[in-house]
Amino acid sequence: MPRLNATQRHRVRLTVNGRQVEADAEPRMLLTDFLRHELGLTGTHVGCEHGVCGACTIDIDGVPARACLTLAVQADGGTIRTVESLAPEPGRLSILQQAFRRHHALQCGFCTAGILMSLDCYLRDRPEPTEAELREFLGGHLCRCTGYTPILKAALEAATMLHKKRPEEQLHA
Amino acid sequence: MKPARFDYVRAEHLAEVHDVLAENGNDARVIAGGQTLLPMLSMRLARPKVVVDIMHLPQLQTIDADKGTIRIGAGVRQAQLLGWPLLSDRQPLLAAALPWVGHAQTRNRGTICGSLAHADPSAEIPLVLVALGGTIELSSRRGRRRIAADIFFTGMMSTARSEDELIEAAILPARPTGSGYAFQEFGRRHGDFAIAACAAVATDKGTRLAVAGVADRATMHDFAALDGSALDDALDAFAWDLDARDDLHATARYRRELVRRMGRAVIEEARRCRA
Amino acid sequence: MATTATTWCGQSVERVEDAALLTGRGRYIDDLGVKPGTLHAAILRSQHAHARIAAIRTDAATQVPGVAAVLTGRDVTALSASLVVGVKAPIECWPIAVDRVRYVGEPVAIVVATDRYLAEDALDLIDVDYEPLPAVVDPNDALDPARPVLHDGLGSNIASERSFRYGDPERAFAEAAKRVSVTIRYPRNSGTPIETYGLIAEYDPGEDAYDVLSNFMGPFSLHAVMARALKVSGNRLRLRTPPDSGGSFGVKQGLFPYIVLMSLAARVAGKPVKWIEDRLEHLSASVSATNRVTTLDAAVDADGRVRALAWDQVEDVGAHIRAPEPATLYRMHGNLTGAYDIRHVSVRNRVVLTNKTPTGLNRGFGGPQVYYALERLMQRVAIELDLDPIDVFRRNLVPSGAFPYRAACGALLDSGDYMRTLETALTDGGFAELRARQAKARAEGRLYGIGCAAAVEPSVSNMGYITAALTPAERRKAGPKNGAQATATVALDPLGAVTVHVASVPQGQGHRTVLSQVVADALGLKFSDVRVVTELDTGRDAWSIASGNYSSRFAAAVGGAAHLAANKIKGKLAKTAAAQLNVSPDDVEFVGGKIRARGNPDNALPFSRVAATSHWSPGLVPEENQALRETVFWTPPQLTPPSDDDEVNSSLCYGFIFDFCGVEIDRVTGAVRIDKYVTMHDCGRILHPGMVAGQVTGGFTQALGAALYEEYAYGPDGSFLTGTFADYLVPTPMEIPEPLILHVETPSPFTPLGTKGVGEGNCMSTPVCIANAAADALGVAAIDLPLTPAKLAAHIHAAEPAPRSRPTVAAAPIKGRALRGSGEAHADASPDAVWRMLLDPKTLEALIPGCHGVEKLSDTHFRAEVTLGVGPVTGRYKADITLSDLDPPNAVTLTGIVTGALGDGRGSGRIRLVPDGAGTRLTYEYDAAIGGKVASIAGRLLDGAAKIVIRQFFTALARHTGGGGKSGFFARLFGGRA
Ligand SMILES: Cc1cc2nc3c(=O)[nH]c(=O)nc-3n(C[C@@H](O)[C@H](O)[C@H](O)COP(=O)(O)OP(=O)(O)OC[C@H]3O[C@@H](n4cnc5c(N)ncnc54)[C@H](O)[C@@H]3O)c2cc1C
Ligand code: FES
Ligand code: FES
């Protein structure tokens, strides 16, 4: 690949939520800014820009990771999923999203997208997590509103429901 | 909090990496997982002129295990290694320590070698390498060399890597039969950098303890077969030698105390697990 | 007219807010589209705690392509007025530094550019000359007249001082069997919402009017402060809020100075300006709770009955007394006796200024500070009199049946049964079992403690309480302030659907859901039939100074106002319907979407039809029954201004909390493990149990953070040390146990729905409850937050014997970035030769790490440009080096000051040269202090950084003289403590 010049914008092409998209970015542009302000996917939030809060967590090439610790140009050619992809269709929520709503696992909702993306990836690989495992895994997220208890309950319940449902419908229902 | 400008090179050949490093020296930065570099860029603590991405080089992405060693390429992410089915069998100490490196979400991108390059004094991966007597493989236009972990780390975020060198791999001895390992860490919160982390390796030759978070780099000491109060005395001397400092999160005295107590606990556990 | 049975209130319905938030369709401030051409702002902030600004050079920044404007204090003072200050003192409070910086993080300049990246590039080009001044950091130091004064107009650092006396405290103390005393230092911490501040400001020169969309949360009393600062009438400052906000916990009150700043930036730039605060800015310079030093004494009878309290509070509001401070200090004033029946109280309040970030609203607002002292004191009473702490509660709680109870300082405790609530908590929470667990743990040699705390949780602030900071005479002059206007509007549309508008500015608390429940109940509708709009527009909506999201006023005041507005509409609709149903309005009921005759369900009309009548056929409705839109303003009569005796009913409602917990402290690490936590609340009537639980667990979690992890820490020089989430430690799920939540419900007689606030209580009760448990586990009397493992371990680990093999070294101070060290080196040159090198600019250039040229200003004064780097952290600095106390060729003192974008450092070292064989032995001692950005965000690096730089210097010196390269050299050189 040629050297991408610092002062110019370069075309970045990637698959986001199942669709091929492209937009321009300087090499220094963070993936968070690229998603939010270039692609208009504002569901991914920014809480710290230094990797600790987890609000920006998205699915990058199949695993949950921090969008704020990724350059847009690094994601070129990659595959990304964001919170906008979770609901099976407009007006319906996924099993995980429903569980969050039932358990009041969100208040302001600012941390929620990151937590949902983390869990969405995690529950695919690990159908029957224990509470301790979930706690540790969610240790990579900060929520200032809920005190985490309802988030853990929602995640456990969603895991159980998804486990019963699989394999046909997986996360979406 | 946005990075200053830099050029970006996604290397397609190893030689490209070497060229960028050779031509730009300290103005170039390798980007591997980016889990440390990105915050530094965004805070403008680091202001390289060019960033070279090494994550698309297939030859860096392998974990090679032969009888005696495990070679981990610079493109291997922490999560990938944790998911390697042979890990706990071949190198249980690393298997025990890796889950303490940040969070699942940062391990999904952070690399083993990136952590070695960064050389944070609290980091677990350098600690494990030092405890196990691992080596670091460096390459540049000038060639290739290997360096023992305990002399690779020269201080706070400082290593023996020259500006034009890439860390190409980390090499660990596989677990010899009849050896015992233990790892313990204490930090303020889950996923935080360690206030103190202790790794012990017990073999028929004796017991080695390595400590991170206390000195300006991971530091080890061989305790032969000492036990009882002789071991306490030796641990005390070791704790003082580490030259701990006070910081926001803990006092030097507290760190020394952790070395004495946690150190003893891991030494004993490693010996037990050998037995 | 008949009332209908409650159906929706009391149920944990699913929130109407959630579908959007769960699918990424939230509309937070940074998600909203902006007008084309909108510019982006970035702020240059002070790296110094205290310094005079000698010069600011902005030319280079202005010339960056894409930069539209650069503003400094000069521009701001030219276009605006100082923010009004809440105490009678001749001081100004600007939203940007004017000639002087007073805290790390204080805005110094604003760049407005076409995007944020560019704006930050331009910030790097602004050059500021600071003349550092000594900083005042500790509140007790601020009392010392010998210290530098922050605001010259004040003449000291005490911004306000008042003493109060209720009952006859002197006599009670004189007669008491015992005097028990505690002194506590409450630290700074903050709710730190995950979404930071954000705004988009626009100025219309044609009408001289500002329009600002922001996630400001109120109180809207600050609207007046902002309009005055902008020098416009209130109707020319239109504040709007986006539909969603990512949490506040009080903190988004502190956005208001930025509204003024960015309004001015938009005016200067001639375009709308958007600013999204980043996390580093937020941690260092938004707002935090006040830190406070309190000495609290109790006059106690032998049986533990407390007769009197004597409060001495030193409140640290930081560098400016910024509105609404000193409110943190006075919010709890009426209820300084807590949940106890104590009739005699003396209070001395001093508000001091220090070189720290100005404080502001924060969940618990004043409560954590007060209860930390009060409940530590109650534990000490039990211990010092050898009583069961529970008996001390029993002896002192306000007795059952005494409500409404007028407390000594003026609070009118509205309702409750504290005794019964206490006993229920003990029984249902399993207190006896917990004691058994403790006994067992202790028998096993474990460090296990039990803590308790009782608190009244005030809600719905009296807007007049803050005037207690003024003397009665000053209050008379200023005119009485009181009340707590809440407002709600219920509107009917042409299809008969119901919309509710409020000015409660929710920050994630589900206001839309709860108001749907309240209004649906009043009108006999499904809660999903009611839509609630909460984004506020001061240019269009009903609001008052009390509007906003604070003092837990929503359920009690706003919920109540919505209930009243709905009933007002209902009354009118009932009359219209009664005429059509041929019954008296009293016999009309609203049930299941119908308006019908009581006892004859078939005689009914659809609600929507009646509700639409005033739109379609107003002629059929008498004027007084026209029902289109009803706005209610409600203020409770109990919220009177402070009396001439300084009695103040600072809040309308007072919930009751009783918490207890069991904790175990690890003997090795000193870490606290919460074994069990029980929190009992009486928050009056509960409208939505799920949300109340959410408020309790959320508050509990923040409180646990305050107890164990979180502190906005400052070094002794005022440098800010916790500028990232890696150092300001917000708990994760790994740190948080699930508390057992219990409830008793005694409705408030003073609110329309019987509700009280609930969201702040645990921030008041939990920190001290945990501290009491830790103190019990360790058997210590004095214990301050946060309870860090190292702090607690100091009580557990036996004294450390000196090292056997080497001399003891003076320990560096625990906090702050003051670095101290010493070392020695060997040079293969005579002292004379080494001496000449140290004084020669050419040699210095070679010795100083990263030096790009030394300019000799005099024989002993040099200036240099240096690039310093530790690992990946590199920055360019200006270095100013002076040599003093010259004693050739034996000793010299080298003083260096380096300044750069990443921070500044100053260090001083004495170097001694002693002949050593053919060469020279150099010994050195240094003291260094490092501040600015690096100290805030990468404090972990600093000790190492100083060490490395100094080591490089001496390595270079040794190499220069041929002393390097020998084996063991490093060991010799730095076996000391470089
Ligand atoms: C929230 C959070 C918590 C964390 N907690 C911990 C923790 O507890 N323990 C811990 O050890 N780490 C922790 N880390 C850091 C860890 O995640 C990083 O992965 C690791 O330190 C660096 O690896 P990386 O691949 O991301 O390197 P990068 O960020 O890509 O690079 C780091 C540095 O190393 C250089 N570099 C990288 N690879 C090479 C190479 N092959 N050759 C030469 N130079 C190279 C880069 O130029 C850069 O200077 C944490 C990070 C975050 C965000
Ligand atoms: S914004 Fe990415 S982790 Fe906080
Ligand atoms: S719901 Fe507000 S931060 Fe998690």
Side-chain angles (χ1 to χ4, degrees):
Chain A
M1 190 195 233
R3 182 162 172 153
L4 303 184
N5 187 293
T7 56
Q8 280 156 16
R9 289 165 72 87
H10 307 271
R11 193 109 280 226
V12 175
R13 297 179 177 82
L14 65 171
T15 306
V16 179
N17 300 335
R19 274 198 220 164
Q20 276 289 122
V21 296
E22 50 182 88
D24 293 341
E26 279 186 8
R28 63 168 161 173
M29 183 178 274
L30 304 175
L31 183 56
T32 34
D33 287 331
F34 184 76
L35 289 172
R36 292 176 48 76
H37 301 305
E38 302 299 319
L39 300 181
L41 294 169
T42 54
T44 300
H45 294 154
V46 176
C48 71
E49 287 182 318
H50 54 270
V52 185
C53 78
C56 67
T57 305
I58 58 172
D59 173 344
I60 305 180
D61 297 329
V63 289
R66 308 291 201 226
C68 76
L69 298 187
T70 310
L71 300 169
V73 289
Q74 275 179 290
D76 187 44
T79 303
I80 278 171
R81 285 192 315 129
T82 65
V83 67
E84 284 90 347
S85 72
L86 291 184
E89 60 186 66
R92 277 177 73 199
L93 299 179
S94 71
I95 284 181
L96 180 64
Q97 289 168 319
Q98 287 173 34
F100 265 59
R101 182 163 70 178
R102 233 179 353 264
H103 287 275
H104 303 291
L106 65 159
Q107 287 178 28
C108 77
F110 204 75
C111 67
T112 311
I115 294 178
L116 289 174
M117 292 315 295
S118 265
L119 284 171
D120 186 75
C121 293
Y122 186 75
L123 295 181
R124 250 188 322 207
D125 301 340
R126 219 173 251 266
E128 290 177 285
T130 63
E131 195 202 292
E133 285 168 342
L134 272 173
R135 254 184 210 280
E136 169 145 21
F137 175 74
L138 290 176
H141 290 275
L142 301 181
C143 172
R144 247 347 205 174
C145 298
T146 62
Y148 304 111
T149 300
I151 295 177
L152 288 161
K153 291 195 171 139
L156 278 168
E157 187 182 283
T160 312
M161 293 179 68
L162 288 165
H163 186 52
K164 279 198 211 126
K165 265 188 117 66
R166 79 195 36 238
E168 351 66 70
E169 275 193 87
Q170 293 277 337
L171 281 174
H172 303 311
Chain B
M1 228 187 119
K2 308 291 180 190
R5 282 184 167 131
F6 50 78
D7 289 357
Y8 172 82
V9 178
R10 179 183 285 186
E12 283 161 2
H13 310 281
L14 201 53
E16 256 180 288
V17 181
H18 292 151
D19 288 348
V20 171
L21 292 178
E23 285 154 20
N24 296 276
N26 198 31
D27 285 330
R29 285 280 180 278
V30 169
I31 187 165
Q35 303 301 289
T36 295
L37 186 61
L38 257 289
M40 295 234 163
L41 292 173
S42 288
M43 294 173 191
R44 301 194 177 206
L45 289 174
R47 315 179 68 132
K49 293 208 175 80
V50 52
V51 165
V52 52
D53 188 342
I54 60 166
M55 298 306 280
H56 295 265
L57 296 170
Q59 70 266 46
L60 297 185
Q61 282 169 1
T62 55
I63 306 170
D64 300 306
D66 59 25
K67 267 223 190 70
T69 60
I70 306 162
R71 184 180 178 281
I72 304 158
V76 175
R77 303 194 196 266
Q78 294 146 11
Q80 188 187 339
L81 185 61
L82 256 179
W84 184 48
L86 301 180
L87 182 67
S88 44
D89 179 52
R90 295 293 167 86
Q91 201 25 274
L93 184 62
L94 192 53
L98 266 185
W100 291 84
V101 180
H103 307 282
Q105 297 81 356
T106 64
R107 292 192 295 269
N108 278 336
R109 287 190 74 79
T111 62
I112 301 294
C113 292
S115 175
L116 298 173
H118 186 58
D120 189 293
S122 292
E124 292 83 2
I125 296 169
L127 171 72
V128 168
L129 239 75
V130 166
L132 293 172
T135 49
I136 285 110
E137 188 176 310
L138 298 155
S139 69
S140 68
R141 271 191 196 168
R142 294 176 291 133
R144 196 171 292 270
R145 60 174 180 141
R146 287 189 177 187
I147 242 187
D150 60 338
I151 55 170
F152 178 74
F153 301 105
T154 55
M156 163 80 69
M157 298 183 186
S158 312
T159 68
R161 181 182 80 87
S162 304
E163 283 175 359
D164 64 343
E165 285 178 310
L166 170 75
I167 298 182
E168 222 182 288
I171 297 157
L172 291 172
R175 168 190 202 168
T177 39
S179 53
Y181 296 97
F183 175 85
Q184 273 189 30
E185 168 166 332
F186 185 71
R188 297 250 345 245
R189 282 175 318 182
H190 165 76
D192 280 339
F193 278 98
I195 287 177
C198 294
V201 182
T203 59
D204 49 4
K205 295 191 198 71
T207 312
R208 169 179 288 181
L209 172 69
V211 173
V214 183
D216 63 357
R217 71 199 88 161
T219 309
M220 61 154 181
H221 188 78
D222 286 316
F223 287 85
L226 291 180
D227 57 15
S229 66
L231 178 57
D232 282 336
D233 290 347
L235 276 165
D236 181 59
F238 179 51
W240 281 104
D241 275 341
L242 293 173
D243 192 15
R245 292 273 162 161
D246 291 346
D247 69 12
L248 184 65
H249 299 298
T251 57
R253 181 211 181 309
Y254 175 76
R255 290 193 156 92
R256 283 192 293 276
E257 199 62 31
L258 287 189
V259 173
R260 294 183 193 104
R261 296 177 185 227
M262 232 162 71
R264 178 151 192 135
V266 291
I267 286 176
E268 286 171 354
E269 191 188 328
R271 287 174 178 168
R272 267 199 309 278
C273 114
R274 187 179 165 247
Chain C
M1 189 181 78
T3 50
T4 38
T6 292
T7 51
W8 299 107
C9 287
Q11 288 189 45
S12 291
V13 296
E14 291 189 353
R15 301 197 321 168
V16 297
E17 289 87 349
D18 288 352
L21 301 182
L22 286 163
T23 51
R25 293 167 182 274
R27 287 169 296 161
Y28 303 88
I29 181 78
D30 193 27
D31 300 343
L32 304 176
V34 293
K35 222 163 130 173
T38 297
L39 300 168
H40 297 263
I43 300 174
L44 181 73
R45 293 173 182 277
S46 169
Q47 312 226 4
H48 294 268
H50 201 185
R52 222 178 299 284
I53 300 176
I56 309 182
R57 284 175 292 276
T58 58
D59 316 0
T62 314
Q63 277 152 28
V64 173
V67 169
V70 180
L71 282 82
T72 67
R74 292 275 152 79
D75 306 290
V76 170
T77 50
L79 292 172
S80 64
S82 160
L83 304 171
V84 293
V85 175
V87 295
K88 293 274 168 268
I91 48 178
E92 294 187 329
C93 176
W94 294 95
I96 190 168
V98 177
D99 299 333
R100 192 158 156 188
V101 292
R102 295 185 177 85
Y103 61 95
V104 171
E106 183 161 20
V108 172
I110 305 167
V111 170
V112 181
T114 47
D115 78 47
R116 174 68 180 240
Y117 288 76
L118 267 179
E120 292 194 20
D121 292 347
L123 286 189
D124 286 347
L125 300 175
I126 299 176
D127 200 13
V128 187
D129 293 342
Y130 293 104
E131 291 164 6
L133 298 166
V136 181
V137 180
D138 188 289
N140 280 341
D141 288 346
L143 299 172
D144 178 352
R147 298 284 172 151
V149 170
L150 269 71
H151 294 268
D152 300 334
L154 209 53
S156 83
N157 290 318
I158 302 174
S160 157
E161 172 158 12
R162 282 219 64 198
S163 292
F164 305 85
R165 191 171 165 277
Y166 305 93
D168 192 350
E170 298 80 6
R171 191 164 139 207
F173 273 99
E175 291 174 355
K178 193 159 176 73
R179 185 180 189 114
V180 178
S181 176
V182 293
T183 296
I184 62 116
R185 304 179 66 93
Y186 199 86
R188 286 195 161 207
N189 49 45
S190 162
T192 57
I194 301 298
E195 182 197 42
T196 57
Y197 294 168
L199 61 79
I200 302 156
E202 195 171 354
Y203 176 68
D204 176 355
E207 294 199 45
D208 189 23
Y210 296 91
D211 185 338
V212 184
L213 177 67
S214 77
N215 55 15
F216 175 64
M217 60 144 236
F220 281 78
S221 50
L222 294 171
H223 180 279
V225 176
M226 291 181 257
R228 281 213 217 164
L230 291 169
K231 301 206 260 196
V232 292
S233 54
N235 56 7
R236 283 170 205 280
L237 171 61
R238 182 172 178 184
L239 295 183
R240 294 178 296 127
T241 65
D244 295 307
S245 172
S248 175
F249 321 111
V251 177
K252 282 177 181 158
Q253 164 264 324
L255 173 56
F256 86 92
Y258 294 104
I259 293 181
V260 174
L261 268 187
M262 295 302 166
S263 293
L264 297 172
R267 178 169 171 175
V268 170
K271 291 257 181 69
V273 169
K274 175 170 172 175
W275 173 67
I276 302 292
E277 184 194 43
D278 69 35
R279 182 58 58 185
L280 306 189
E281 299 182 280
H282 187 85
L283 291 170
S284 66
S286 57
V287 288
S288 72
T290 58
N291 55 303
R292 189 181 296 177
V293 182
T294 305
T295 300
L296 176 60
D297 289 24
V300 196
D301 290 348
D303 67 350
R305 179 85 173 87
V306 177
R307 295 292 170 188
L309 293 176
W311 289 90
D312 184 338
Q313 307 187 91
V314 179
E315 174 87 329
D316 180 353
V317 296
H320 296 279
I321 183 147
R322 197 161 71 189
E325 296 292 16
T328 312
L329 187 56
Y330 286 94
R331 193 242 181 146
M332 305 296 287
H333 194 83
N335 52 288
L336 277 175
T337 45
Y340 309 115
D341 176 29
I342 301 171
R343 301 309 315 169
H344 309 286
V345 183
S346 70
V347 185
R348 181 185 193 196
N349 281 342
R350 281 169 291 178
V351 178
V352 300
L353 297 163
T354 61
N355 292 108
K356 303 206 280 289
T357 303
T359 57
L361 267 62
N362 222 293
R363 196 176 196 167
F365 202 46
Q369 295 89 332
V370 159
Y371 286 113
Y372 198 82
L374 185 56
E375 295 304 295
R376 285 291 304 129
L377 181 75
M378 296 311 270
Q379 189 193 46
R380 293 306 306 162
V381 166
I383 290 169
E384 293 189 23
L385 294 173
D386 199 18
L387 299 168
D388 183 334
I390 299 298
D391 287 335
V392 175
F393 289 115
R394 289 185 178 123
R395 239 150 255 168
N396 288 293
L397 287 175
V398 172
S400 303
F403 296 88
Y405 170 91
R406 180 71 72 178
C409 306
L412 183 60
L413 305 182
D414 52 335
S415 67
D417 185 342
Y418 299 174
M419 292 292 185
R420 181 172 66 92
T421 310
L422 168 76
E423 300 302 337
T424 311
L426 295 173
T427 316
D428 295 358
F431 191 74
E433 293 91 308
L434 190 66
R435 284 227 163 129
R437 267 172 93 77
Q438 179 185 37
K440 182 162 170 286
R442 287 188 164 173
E444 293 164 4
R446 285 147 56 197
L447 296 169
Y448 195 106
I450 291 180
C452 307
V456 298
E457 173 182 359
S459 50
V460 190
S461 281
N462 182 347
M463 296 313 279
Y465 76 73
I466 179 64
T467 60
L470 306 176
T471 63
E474 287 167 339
R475 283 201 296 267
R476 275 191 296 274
K477 223 172 124 198
K481 307 263 188 314
N482 68 289
Q485 284 287 10
T487 179
T489 299
V490 175
L492 303 173
D493 66 36
L495 294 179
V498 180
T499 305
V500 182
H501 300 256
V502 288
S504 63
V505 197
Q507 309 287 321
Q509 300 104 324
H511 291 185
R512 295 181 54 218
T513 302
V514 174
L515 293 175
S516 300
Q517 292 175 284
V518 167
V519 171
D521 276 350
L523 300 177
L525 299 172
K526 288 205 291 291
F527 99 103
S528 52
D529 291 340
V530 178
R531 287 208 80 201
V532 182
V533 177
T534 52
E535 53 259 54
L536 178 66
D537 179 341
T538 60
R540 255 195 331 229
D541 297 326
W543 61 281
S544 93
I545 60 159
S547 296
N549 186 323
Y550 63 97
S551 82
S552 300
R553 62 195 305 283
F554 170 72
V558 181
H563 173 77
L564 297 177
N567 276 322
K568 213 163 155 192
I569 282 248
K570 180 182 180 180
K572 294 185 171 183
L573 294 178
K575 287 190 191 134
T576 304
Q580 296 178 33
L581 297 171
N582 283 320
V583 293
S584 112
D586 285 346
D587 284 330
V588 166
E589 60 182 13
F590 289 61
V591 181
K594 296 239 160 37
I595 303 178
R596 66 187 193 196
R598 191 186 314 283
N600 182 6
D602 293 338
N603 186 14
L605 293 163
F607 174 88
S608 54
R609 202 169 120 202
V610 183
T613 313
S614 295
H615 282 283
W616 299 105
S617 19
L620 297 181
V621 186
E623 195 182 329
E624 69 275 14
N625 289 344
Q626 295 283 348
L628 291 161
R629 186 181 182 97
E630 289 299 335
T631 295
V632 162
F633 280 91
W634 174 80
T635 186
Q638 292 82 7
L639 294 185
T640 50
S643 74
D644 280 352
D645 296 326
D646 286 317
E647 283 159 354
V648 53
N649 186 21
S650 29
S651 302
L652 176 66
C653 313
Y654 299 87
F656 177 68
I657 304 177
F658 181 75
D659 284 4
F660 63 88
C661 69
V663 310
E664 182 168 356
I665 300 177
D666 188 291
R667 277 193 182 274
V668 174
T669 63
V672 173
R673 183 181 64 83
I674 312 279
D675 184 40
K676 174 166 188 164
Y677 199 101
V678 178
T679 182
M680 161 61 96
H681 287 251
D682 179 354
C683 60
R685 186 171 157 223
I686 292 175
L687 299 179
H688 189 296
M691 283 190 218
V692 166
Q695 287 299 313
V696 172
T697 53
F700 168 75
T701 301
Q702 290 190 343
L704 192 132
L708 303 180
Y709 302 101
E710 300 176 30
E711 180 178 10
Y712 278 168
Y714 286 83
D717 59 348
S719 54
F720 181 65
L721 306 179
T722 46
T724 71
F725 269 158
D727 284 320
Y728 188 78
L729 305 179
V730 171
T732 77
M734 291 296 278
E735 283 75 47
I736 298 300
E738 182 177 352
L740 173 64
I741 304 170
L742 303 171
H743 284 288
V744 160
E745 286 185 50
T746 52
S748 172
F750 301 156
T751 62
L753 293 165
T755 45
K756 309 185 184 193
V758 68
E760 297 181 88
N762 283 91
C763 289
M764 308 182 191
S765 58
T766 297
V768 66
C769 184
I770 293 173
N772 281 346
D776 183 43
L778 298 173
V780 298
I783 193 161
D784 283 328
L785 302 183
L787 305 172
T788 64
K791 214 188 263 181
L792 298 185
H795 297 288
I796 306 169
H797 297 161
E800 184 179 44
R804 245 158 288 193
S805 51
R806 47 196 294 169
T808 17
V809 190
I814 295 186
K815 256 192 209 167
R817 304 287 12 143
L819 313 170
R820 186 166 295 158
S822 60
E824 60 176 67
H826 177 84
D828 281 353
S830 68
D832 277 317
V834 174
W835 180 263
R836 280 194 303 276
M837 288 177 193
L838 285 174
L839 265 61
D840 169 41
K842 278 276 156 295
T843 323
L844 273 180
E845 182 163 343
L847 298 183
I848 296 170
C851 188
H852 313 294
V854 172
E855 189 192 342
K856 185 169 175 176
L857 302 177
S858 77
D859 278 352
T860 55
H861 190 183
F862 305 93
R863 194 171 286 160
E865 285 265 311
V866 292
T867 302
L868 295 178
V870 180
V873 181
T874 19
R876 227 180 142 92
Y877 301 85
K878 286 185 283 188
D880 192 272
I881 300 148
T882 46
L883 303 173
S884 56
D885 300 331
L886 284 81
D887 172 14
N890 305 314
V892 60
T893 297
L894 205 142
T895 303
I897 298 176
V898 291
T899 41
L902 292 184
D904 63 283
R906 49 193 52 249
S908 185
R910 184 82 177 153
I911 303 174
R912 291 194 177 77
L913 315 178
V914 181
D916 181 14
T920 304
R921 192 162 64 95
L922 292 105
T923 59
Y924 57 91
E925 289 154 12
Y926 66 86
D927 259 304
I930 299 180
K933 188 163 164 185
V934 171
S936 302
I937 62 184
R940 294 172 61 244
L941 289 177
L942 285 181
D943 297 340
K947 212 167 164 178
I948 287 170
V949 170
I950 289 161
R951 178 167 74 186
Q952 284 168 354
F953 179 80
F954 283 96
T955 312
L957 182 65
R959 203 182 297 122
H960 210 77
T961 61
K966 289 185 184 164
S967 74
F969 173 77
F970 267 83
R972 246 192 306 134
L973 188 51
F974 303 110
R977 310 197 32 118

